[in-house]
Every structure is written in structure tokens, then in C-alpha cells.
Amino acid sequence: MAAALPVDATLAVETDGSFPGLLSAYAAAYRHGALPASVGRLDEPAPGALFGQTLPVASDAALAGRVERGLERVKPGLVGRLHRAFLSERPGMEVTVLRLVDAAQAGGAVAAEDWTFEPARVVAQWSGRVGREAHRMEAFVRFERHTDDESGAERWAAVARPEYHVLPLLTEHFAARYPTMAWRIVDARRRLALVHTPEPDRQPGEPATVIVPADTLDLPEAAPDEAAAQAMWRAYFQAVTIPERRNLRLHLRHVPKRYWPYLTEKQTGDQA
Amino acid sequence: MRRQVIEKLEILADAAKYDASCASSGGKRENSKTGIGNSTGAGICHSYTEDGRCVSLLKVLFSNVCIYDCAYCVSRRSNEEVTRVAFTVQEVVDLTMDFYKRNYIEGLFLSSGIFKDADTTTEKLVAVARSLRHDHGFNGYIHLKVIPGASAELLTAAGRLADRLSVNVEIPSEVGLKSVAPEKDYAQVFGPMATVRDGIDEAKEERQKDRRAPRFAAGGQSTQLVVGATPESDRQVLELVDGLYSEQKLRRVYYSGFIALGGDDRVPDPETYRAPLHREHRLYQADWLLRKYGFALDEVAPPGSENLDDEVDPKTAYALRFPELFPVDVNAAPVEWLQRVPGLGIRSSKRIIAARRRGVVRWADLRAMGVVLKRAQHFLVTPDHKPHLIGQDPGAVRQRIVGGRAAGSPQLSLFAPAPLAGAVPGGVATAASGAAVRAAA
Ligand code: SF4
């Protein structure tokens, strides 16, 4: 294995902002012989002439795939961890990811597990936070049934406001769970939607699940029985509480207030 | 007139809510292309009640009509305060599907009062599970409560359809059980439990030979113990539990700290027993050490002892009983030993091992690894941290740990203040929730 690359404080790279783009940037940096001190976007103007040299990198799926496979050989699960940390959208995370990718390819799996090495710790911690948010979305997303008056077609729609960009992480879970339902999950913060089309309604070759701008979607009316189903759930939620043990602090730790506007059991039901 | 489904739901969810098990974990079930639902094996809490418990499953009784008279149970025959209702099979099936499609739940946990005999009751539960699986292609989680005394044929049918089966032991000794549940005995409980265990073992073997062999309660078997309704000590409870894990191969034991609200004089007066939530919490910690940390029963609760340490968690109590085994060297101890250190968990121990391979671990590194230094500091050595107190005066170590979290401690305040006073508010709510609280069957 090669030695770890030095960080060149005068070097910046620009990518298309995707995760494969970032892995492609690693391959470019490797060829260049140094890691960049900053990662920018190809479609955004660079912040002045701060850097001596800027390396534009096109996203290359095949190349990114090679980097991924290399990392998976070093440490199974590492790519997922890097991807989750990347989806935190924290400033500077791209550089941290590149440093860990480099340390793993130079120093093997132990580097990725060594919490005294800052990039390993930062990536693990943010990966944990993003993973937790994705897990919470798997739990807290609430679908409503909508029906088209004319065709009678059913749509299941949910709105959420995740802290991090977790829609890509939700695809697998919901597609496996509800393969026959036409469902969508809108990220209200990012104005994006994860949209699933069941098999009979798909064009050949079309992926089952895609992420699209939320504004491009329309939605028929809520189904006539939707309000009743929601009322039933609220009744259930009330009935299972043990009033003598009510403990708001503990409750808030499990269900922080920021999720409440999108939780059926937290609505009064008047508006439905 | 027929009661509205929503009314039945309120009554039958209320009656089921004291059953401690909520988990949808254990037992992966994959979906088919045309079906609906799956179980990931990890379990998901879709919401939390205002008292902080996980809501994972639609947990209801099929009926709260019961011919038995268990003193700890709200549905007992002699309790005249409850309205008696029953669902139809179709109603439970529809509720489950409506909730599941909206991502409210992971599946169904169905139990029932014994409205006729054990088999008639079990037949209804099986009918619900069968309709979900066969009529609706439902692959979500199903947990069925086994009614004590149910026949082996019905248990087999239930096991084929469910992800988990449970028979509640309820009371941690047979003498205790008979004193509060006159119609029950341990044979009714352990008979079905053994049948289910053998069914699980057999199906596992068959499926190793042939992946298409039928499944049987792949998520395993669990049970619940009510602590505090009868006088067993923690050591007695844990002895039973140790046997349940090793001999009955249970996946989980749940503990339910008994809270009496008065009304049935076969169960103790609230004034006379320990804070039930606190006791429940300590038992869960001890259970965790038995299942996950490789502790032996005698290490957690020494033979001849009565109850777990009130002041400190069972792992700290162990360390204080064996001070000669500490402190442990962070840079040399095997992972099994690190895990036994108070303040270290399974994950932080693994992190230490990983960091060790690349260099010497120093005191400042530990905090970032998630070690609870407040407790661990007395039990761990690094080149720049050498505690002496544990070797000289374990009592003083206890003082410091306990002193650090006296009243309003972070750990205990997660729970409501022991609800002794609050539990007897009088008025309608109390009367409706019955004299003694507990779930069905
Ligand atoms: S515990 Fe079960 S058998 Fe006993 S009274 Fe309650 S519902 Fe009936």
C-alpha cells in the first residue's frame, strides 16, 4: 500500500456535488499526488483566488465504482459510513471524507476505526447522526391516502423535514416494504421528493424509485376515509398512554418537537 | 347496538397497554414483490407514548371478556369497573392493514382475555393472523400471545403464522402465581413454552436443510414477569430468568414493575413495596449483563443475596464487590475485560481495541470514544491516569459515584418520579383503569 497523501493547502478541487463525484475527486487527487484543502462545486463560482490551483473533476461512475470496491475490500461497510457522513452536508465534510478515504487505502481498516484519528472520528460521528435521522424518518414518516376521482388510482403521500439529506438512504427500506403502493416522501426543507412507482405502472428500464424536485409533482384529493383512519390512530395513541407515568422530558428525547408537525398522532384532527 | 370500532379500540388497547413487550425485533421476514410489509430484524419504534414507551405494534386484546380472575389484571372476571367488548376478526385485520400502510406500525401484537376456553380463544388469534398473511399478503410483524393451556395443534398453527410467540410467566414463583391467579399454575405456562421452543428448534433444523421449509416463530419466544405483586426477591427473579434463557431458550424477558391502584386485597398495599419503575430498571440492567456482557448469574446477584443494589447499577455493584480485579489497563486488557468496567460499553470497548492497534491510548482519548469517565475513572489505567482509590477504599469510590448523582440524577430522572403518590388520584380515570394493572392472559 502507498503512503498517505499530504494535504496541499493551495489546492482546491471542484465536483458536481455528488458522492460518486467526490470519489472521482479522490482518484484525481491521487494522480495529482496531494489531497485538496477545499472541495467546491463546478457550477458555483470559486470564492476568489484563495487557492493557487483548482482541479475540476467530472463525475466518473466507473472510476468511483473502483474506489468504492477498493474501500469495501479494506473495510466492509466503510463506503456506507462515508456516504452517510457526506449526506450531513456539513461544511468541510468533503475534505474530511477524502482524508479518511486516503488513510484507509494507505493504512488499512485500523485507520477507519481509530477514533484518535480525527477524520475517522468525525466521519463515524456524522455517519451516526445521519443514520439516526434516516432511521427516525423510517419511523416517523406518515403516509396519507389520496385517490383520483376519475381513475380511482391510489397515491400514498408523506411530508417530512429531515435535518440532513436522508432521502437517498430511505429508498431501499420503503421500496422493500411497500412495493405495490404508489408512494412518495417529500423533503420540505430541500424541496425534493422520493417517488416510488409500482411495477405495473413503470416504463421498461425506468427505476422504481427516483428523487425529483417536489414542485414537479401534483396530488389528487385525500381519500374520503383518510380522516377516519387518522382519527383511529389518534384514539389508539391516546389509549396506550399510561397517564400516571407521563414524562414529558423522556417523551421529548424520543420525539423531539421538530418532528411533531408531521406526525398524525400530534395533530388535533380538526383540519383533516 | 353494535359498538363503534373506535370505542372498542380504545377499550382493548387500554387493557393491553401494560404488557411490557413492544419489540418488533428479531426474526427477519422479507417481502414478496406483490405483498406488503417486511420485518427488518432490528425493529422500529414508530412513536412513543407520553410516558416514554415505544409504540411499535398495534397492541390490542381481541376481547377483554375473561373467565379467569388474576388479581394483577384489569380484565379479571371480578373487576366490575370495565366495559366488556370484543373485536371481530375482520375488524382487527382492517385496523392492522390501515395502520400498516400509513407507516404507523411494524405489525400486530394480539392477545386476549380467555372468553371461553384456551382453544376457542387461541383460534380467534390464529384466524386474524391467517387472514393477514393469506388474504392480504401481509409480511409485517405478528406477535401472538399464547393462551395458557392451548393445544399443541393450535400452537403449531400460530407458530407458522407469527414472528414471535409469548407465554407470560407473570409471577416469578409458582406459589406466588397461585396466590394471585387461582386458576393458573406453572404447568399451563411451561407446557406451551416447551412446545413452542421445540417447534422453533425443529423449524430451524429443517430450514437449514431446505430453505423452503416452513418458518416457525422465527423471532423467538419471549415472556413477561410482573415484579412486586408477590414477595420474590431480585435474586429469585434472576434465578428464574437465567433458567428461562438457558433452558427455555427465550429471546427476551420483559419486566413489569407492579403498580397497584387498590381494589384487590390479594396484592400488596402500595405503601409496602419498592418503587416499581426503579426496580424494573435495575432488573433490565442486570438482564442486559446476563445476555450481552457474558456475566454469570452469581456475579450479578450473588447466591444468598436478596435484592440488587439500589444506589448503583449492577455492573458498578459488581466492581465494588470485587475491587481486587480493578483497575484494568486500557492498553492491555482483553475486550471481555474492558466490557466489565463500569462506564464502558460494548462499543466503546471495541473502539479502544481499534485505537490500541495504532498506538497508545491516553486518558484524553477516552472521552471522544464514548466512555463515561465519571464512573470509569476509578476502574481504568492509562499511562497518564493511575487511580488508587479503588485499591485502598472501595467504599469511598461508591460515595463518589453515588454522590455524583443523588436526587435529580440524570439516569433516574428519565423515569417519572415513583408513581406511588400520583397513582392514587381518585376519580374516573383510576376507576376505569382498574384495581390492579396488567395485561391479558
Ligand atoms: S391475566 Fe389473562 S387470564 Fe388472567 S384475568 Fe387477565 S386476561 Fe384473564
Side-chain angles (χ1 to χ4, degrees):
Chain A
M1 265 184 241
L5 297 174
V7 177
D8 179 348
T10 67
L11 176 68
V13 297
E14 285 174 346
T15 73
D16 65 355
S18 71
F19 188 62
L22 187 60
L23 296 183
S24 308
Y26 177 70
Y30 189 82
R31 250 178 278 127
H32 185 82
L35 294 174
S38 154
V39 176
R41 294 277 297 253
L42 286 165
D43 55 1
E44 280 166 17
L50 271 176
F51 295 95
Q53 193 186 0
T54 301
L55 210 59
V57 179
S59 190
D60 179 337
L63 193 58
R66 272 217 299 286
V67 176
E68 270 190 27
R69 281 191 298 280
L71 289 169
E72 280 304 292
R73 266 199 303 280
V74 169
K75 162 108 194 132
L78 182 56
V79 172
R81 192 186 298 176
L82 291 161
H83 185 214
R84 285 190 295 276
F86 170 78
L87 293 175
S88 72
E89 301 175 322
R90 292 308 100 175
M93 186 56 79
E94 291 92 342
V95 173
T96 307
V97 166
L98 291 178
R99 285 180 63 200
L100 183 55
V101 168
D102 185 56
Q105 79 76 39
V110 276
E113 293 308 304
D114 177 7
W115 278 42
T116 61
F117 175 54
E118 197 200 342
R121 192 185 71 240
V122 170
V123 164
Q125 285 172 334
W126 279 102
S127 158
R129 288 186 191 119
V130 173
R132 257 191 309 283
E133 183 74 347
H135 192 68
R136 274 179 161 158
M137 284 300 134
E138 288 173 5
F140 294 158
V141 154
R142 299 282 181 260
F143 290 109
E144 288 182 353
R145 196 161 84 99
H146 296 256
T147 42
D148 192 309
D149 277 348
E150 277 161 39
S151 65
E154 254 187 5
R155 294 258 177 72
W156 298 85
V159 181
R161 205 179 163 79
E163 194 86 0
Y164 314 116
H165 182 34
V166 295
L167 285 186
L169 302 176
L170 302 181
T171 310
E172 214 181 313
H173 174 81
F174 285 106
R177 180 157 289 202
Y178 304 116
T180 59
M181 285 161 49
W183 54 260
R184 69 178 61 158
I185 301 166
V186 172
D187 176 342
R189 195 187 295 272
R190 292 169 189 78
R191 305 295 313 151
L192 293 171
L194 183 68
V195 180
H196 175 84
T197 313
E199 182 145 22
D201 306 337
R202 273 198 316 261
Q203 308 297 329
E206 191 190 339
T209 314
V210 291
I211 294 179
V212 298
D215 314 328
T216 62
L217 302 171
D218 58 350
L219 198 61
E221 291 286 289
D225 63 351
E226 180 56 32
Q230 295 190 10
M232 203 72 89
W233 174 242
R234 277 189 285 272
Y236 177 73
F237 185 77
Q238 282 311 317
V240 295
T241 293
I242 300 180
E244 296 86 4
R245 291 187 178 190
R246 196 163 276 151
N247 182 343
L248 195 66
R249 246 182 72 191
L250 182 58
H251 179 67
L252 282 174
R253 228 180 47 153
H254 290 311
V255 195
K257 274 232 165 85
R258 64 191 177 86
Y259 299 103
W260 290 21
Y262 304 96
L263 286 172
T264 311
E265 59 270 32
K266 292 292 183 192
Q267 313 311 311
T268 58
D270 302 341
Q271 73 274 40
Chain B
M1 208 195 86
R2 279 190 64 235
R3 273 176 199 279
Q4 295 279 320
V5 179
I6 196 162
E7 247 180 287
K8 294 192 201 174
L9 177 64
E10 279 165 353
I11 294 169
L12 295 169
D14 180 83
K17 73 184 171 191
Y18 296 101
D19 200 298
S21 60
C22 81
S24 53
S25 60
K28 277 192 183 170
R29 180 182 290 270
E30 272 172 24
N31 199 3
S32 63
K33 270 192 168 172
T34 54
I36 175 163
N38 58 357
S39 310
T40 52
I44 295 177
C45 294
H46 283 274
S47 195
Y48 290 84
T49 60
E50 283 167 23
D51 50 292
R53 286 166 313 128
C54 166
V55 179
S56 182
L57 304 170
L58 169 61
K59 181 156 68 174
V60 289
L61 302 191
F62 187 83
S63 164
N64 66 347
V65 176
C66 192
I67 57 172
Y68 279 24
D69 200 32
C70 309
Y72 50 81
C73 175
V74 64
S75 303
R76 67 184 186 284
R77 172 183 81 221
S78 62
N79 187 4
E80 285 165 10
E81 311 278 353
V82 297
T83 313
R84 307 283 169 171
V85 289
F87 280 125
T88 65
V89 169
Q90 192 61 46
E91 283 166 351
V92 183
V93 168
D94 287 347
L95 272 174
T96 308
M97 293 309 294
D98 280 349
F99 283 5
Y100 195 87
K101 286 182 177 171
R102 288 173 174 78
N103 203 41
Y104 298 164
I105 53 171
E106 287 296 286
L108 173 68
F109 178 3
L110 190 59
S111 177
S112 184
I114 306 174
F115 49 85
K116 194 145 169 259
D117 48 73
D119 278 359
T120 315
T121 308
T122 308
E123 263 164 28
K124 289 290 183 193
L125 308 190
V126 169
V128 169
R130 183 175 294 126
S131 171
L132 282 169
R133 294 282 191 237
H134 296 168
D135 304 339
H136 296 269
F138 180 70
N139 288 312
Y141 197 85
I142 299 181
H143 178 163
L144 296 182
K145 185 70 74 62
V146 170
I147 307 298
S151 71
E153 294 75 54
L154 276 169
L155 288 181
T156 307
R160 294 252 183 276
L161 295 161
D163 295 284
R164 176 168 282 187
L165 297 177
S166 60
V167 197
N168 278 359
V169 175
E170 305 289 19
I171 301 296
S173 74
E174 186 165 28
V175 185
L177 180 67
K178 285 191 162 157
S179 71
V180 291
E183 294 96 347
K184 285 185 176 172
D185 57 44
Y186 265 22
Q188 281 174 345
V189 172
F190 286 96
M193 194 182 270
T195 309
V196 172
R197 176 197 61 203
D198 297 344
I200 292 173
D201 282 355
E202 232 168 80
K204 251 191 218 149
E205 246 172 63
E206 291 297 316
R207 279 173 69 86
Q208 251 153 31
K209 286 184 229 143
D210 178 0
R211 286 317 288 170
R212 282 160 310 175
R215 310 162 63 105
F216 192 98
Q221 187 173 198
S222 64
T223 196
Q224 169 173 282
L225 292 173
V226 179
V227 290
T230 45
E232 296 83 6
S233 69
D234 288 345
R235 163 76 194 188
Q236 272 173 292
V237 171
L238 290 167
E239 258 173 46
L240 174 69
V241 166
D242 198 46
L244 289 173
Y245 284 134
S246 57
E247 279 148 45
Q248 301 289 342
K249 301 189 196 161
L250 291 199
R251 193 66 69 87
R252 279 301 297 273
V253 175
Y254 294 92
Y255 305 89
S256 179
F258 180 68
I259 305 173
L261 302 176
D264 194 309
D265 51 20
R266 288 172 293 170
V267 290
D269 183 334
E271 300 296 323
T272 63
Y273 54 92
R274 294 185 286 152
L277 281 173
H278 186 56
R279 184 173 184 198
E280 196 181 293
H281 180 58
R282 285 277 180 261
L283 283 168
Y284 274 116
Q285 289 177 320
D287 183 283
W288 198 251
L289 294 184
L290 294 176
R291 279 188 304 127
K292 301 277 181 187
Y293 282 77
F295 277 81
L297 169 66
D298 289 352
E299 292 175 319
V300 176
S305 68
E306 285 282 309
N307 290 318
L308 293 166
D309 200 314
D310 246 5
E311 290 181 338
V312 294
D313 66 275
K315 205 204 261 187
T316 304
Y318 162 82
L320 293 174
R321 269 201 308 282
F322 299 100
E324 65 278 12
L325 301 175
F326 296 91
V328 165
D329 188 344
V330 169
N331 285 291
V335 69
E336 299 79 31
W337 256 110
L338 290 174
Q339 287 172 7
R340 290 187 162 229
V341 175
L344 279 185
I346 287 175
R347 261 200 264 170
S348 47
S349 304
K350 283 195 185 138
R351 274 177 202 145
I352 288 176
I353 300 285
R356 240 158 57 175
R357 292 208 200 106
R358 305 220 319 161
V360 175
V361 176
R362 310 190 70 80
W363 190 246
D365 297 328
L366 292 179
R367 186 186 301 276
M369 293 184 194
V371 177
V372 184
L373 296 183
K374 189 144 198 345
R375 252 172 297 151
Q377 59 178 331
H378 306 291
F379 305 101
L380 281 180
V381 171
T382 61
D384 54 342
H385 174 86
K386 299 202 168 26
H388 295 293
L389 199 56
I390 185 70
Q392 292 159 356
D393 187 357
V397 172
R398 168 185 288 267
Q399 279 304 313
R400 296 211 183 164
I401 291 174
V402 174
R405 45 181 185 76
S409 68
Q411 205 167 12
L412 292 181
S413 60
L414 292 180
F415 297 87
L420 290 184
V424 212
V428 189
T430 316
S433 54
V437 295
R438 276 305 342 302

